[in-house]
Amino acid sequence: MAYENLLTENRDGLLWLTVNRPDKLNALNRQTMAELDAAVGAAAGDPSVLAVAVTGAGEKAFVAGADIGELKSLGAVQAKEFALRGQAIFARIERMSKPVVAAVNGFALGGGCELAMACHLRIASLKAVFGQPEVKLGLIPGYAGTQRLPRLVGRGRALEILLTGRNVGAEEAERIGLVSATCEPAQLREKVEAVVTTILANGPLAVSHCIEAVNHGLDLPFDDGCLLEATLFGVGAASPEMAEGTSAFLDKRKPNFRL
Ligand code: COA
């Protein structure tokens, strides 16, 4: 399907979703959010898509936030609806059973930082800049930034970043756990592809169960999270995937999970 503000390219099972409004630093207007929602929904049900990478078009930005022009005219009720809709779209990304990697190539501010945080992994170019500058606009984050940032970097650091609205460079982002790796800008695609290749060599059911256990388990009391883990462990044990993985180990050969 062709989109107005989103480029899609499936390269050997890795679907690249590129937010494509470079003249507006890839700001997320309604149209772009609707397209992201549609593309993620399509990717979830498409067997030719094994993993997803999200990035931004152009040299400068991943996504510089929600579209401030659209935000400006919202009333209270509309703004709440706007936030709930964005949260639902990002939750859909987070709940994908296939791995989703943010390839953060530049500014990831406001909704851009929130989009990156909804992805399972974040890999950043050394040029990337993160932040939740909404307070500077007299706003708070609306796409779950106040919830995901403290879960990733801890309450104290998250509050400092949220209350100051300051920029966080790529190296700091890596140090505080906001991203898992950084690289030279020219190496970003390659780096993302390498991580995805490593993940895709593993059992696909086990990978999706890890995503599910972490996503749901973190919001549960510890014992309930452990019960969820044990249940998924049991489901995995009944799958041909575990039979292949354990047999391959004992036979001293590489497993092939995608027969
Ligand atoms: N919403 C709408 N338009 C945006 C945007 C956003 N979040 N971020 C950037 N743009 C637009 C600018 O208005 C400008 O459009 P124009 O050329 O039609 O005037 C264009 O993108 C380029 O941005 P500009 O500000 O000129 O680039 P810069 O290099 O001087 O600054 C930033 C880059 C990222 C520092 C700056 O664009 C910025 O602060 N953006 C807003 C970030 C933000 O507050 N995000 C949270 C939103 S809730």
Side-chain angles (χ1 to χ4, degrees):
M1 176 172 170
Y3 299 105
E4 200 177 301
N5 297 328
L6 200 60
L7 303 173
T8 61
E9 184 192 8
N10 186 334
R11 288 172 60 173
D12 301 325
L14 173 58
L15 177 71
W16 282 89
L17 294 181
T18 304
V19 180
N20 187 31
R21 293 182 78 208
D23 55 326
K24 295 290 177 192
L25 304 188
N26 305 321
L28 297 172
N29 61 1
R30 282 177 195 279
Q31 175 71 21
T32 312
M33 287 295 277
E35 291 182 5
L36 257 181
D37 191 29
V40 168
D46 181 347
S48 77
V49 174
L50 306 179
V52 177
V54 181
T55 194
E59 298 288 300
K60 208 164 154 182
F62 172 71
V63 164
D67 190 305
I68 297 170
E70 284 187 355
L71 285 183
K72 191 176 179 308
S73 56
L74 295 178
V77 174
Q78 286 173 312
K80 183 176 178 186
E81 286 303 323
F82 178 94
L84 288 172
R85 167 114 178 99
Q87 289 170 3
I89 294 168
F90 286 5
R92 193 172 191 187
I93 294 175
E94 188 174 60
R95 289 183 195 143
M96 279 269 282
S97 59
K98 306 172 187 188
V100 185
V101 183
V104 185
N105 54 312
F107 286 114
L109 300 175
C113 189
E114 290 167 307
L115 172 60
M117 290 192 292
C119 296
H120 302 137
L121 297 182
R122 284 149 295 287
I123 298 179
S125 138
L126 286 164
K127 267 178 35 189
V129 175
F130 296 81
Q132 296 288 163
E134 286 88 346
V135 284
K136 295 182 179 175
L137 301 169
L139 285 167
I140 71 167
Y143 291 167
T146 61
Q147 303 307 303
R148 290 201 177 92
L149 188 60
R151 282 170 169 78
L152 279 168
V153 305
R155 180 195 297 233
R157 278 198 175 109
L159 275 169
E160 187 266 325
I161 291 166
L162 289 162
L163 300 186
T164 60
R166 73 176 172 89
N167 286 346
V168 176
E171 282 169 353
E172 182 185 357
E174 184 175 14
R175 184 164 46 77
I176 66 177
L178 183 52
V179 305
S180 55
T182 52
C183 63
E184 292 299 329
Q187 259 94 61
L188 185 59
R189 272 193 167 238
E190 213 177 294
K191 180 103 183 164
V192 169
E193 282 165 4
V195 171
V196 168
T197 300
T198 303
I199 294 171
L200 294 182
N202 298 325
L205 187 66
V207 165
S208 74
H209 281 169
C210 283
I211 293 170
E212 192 178 335
V214 170
N215 276 348
H216 291 275
L218 262 184
D219 296 327
L220 293 173
F222 187 80
D223 284 352
D224 293 345
C226 286
L227 180 62
L228 170 64
E229 181 185 271
T231 304
L232 294 172
F233 189 85
V235 173
S239 74
E241 192 174 295
M242 175 166 143
E244 168 62 8
T246 50
S247 305
F249 177 81
L250 296 172
D251 298 347
K252 302 191 187 306
R253 62 175 172 83
K254 275 195 175 170
N256 184 352
F257 292 115
R258 296 182 189 270
L259 287 169

